[in-house]
Amino acid sequence: MHETISLRAVKAQLSAIIEAAEKGETTIVTKYGEPAAMIVPFKEERQEEGADRPDRPSFGKALLSLPHNLDF
């Protein structure tokens, strides 16, 4: 599940957002109501083994899986 949060709120809650990412949660950051960035979990094993394995989702696929009609 994705949480959506404004850039202003990210500045105030960054520690909690990082903790959520460590638990596997993804956060979409909005700027002026539009998606601007995504904070995703980082796994060291992914870095070592490579992200191009077919059994692992890519960042691009994650972006494309977002609904195109987000209301903010």
Side-chain angles (χ1 to χ4, degrees), residues 1-69:
M1 182 184 295
H2 301 286
E3 179 181 350
T4 303
I5 190 168
S6 70
L7 181 58
R8 180 181 298 248
V10 169
K11 291 176 183 179
Q13 301 173 25
L14 185 57
S15 293
I17 293 167
I18 297 301
E19 287 177 19
E22 290 175 329
K23 295 176 184 172
E25 297 177 30
T26 299
T27 302
I28 298 170
V29 181
T30 62
K31 186 174 180 182
Y32 303 113
E34 295 293 324
M38 183 182 294
I39 299 172
V40 297
F42 176 85
K43 295 186 179 177
E44 203 166 310
E45 67 186 59
R46 189 174 171 99
Q47 175 103 8
E48 293 171 5
E49 296 178 17
D52 56 348
R53 288 184 41 192
D55 60 329
R56 294 180 184 260
S58 70
F59 180 68
K61 286 182 184 177
L63 287 176
L64 291 172
S65 72
L66 293 174
H68 298 289
N69 59 348

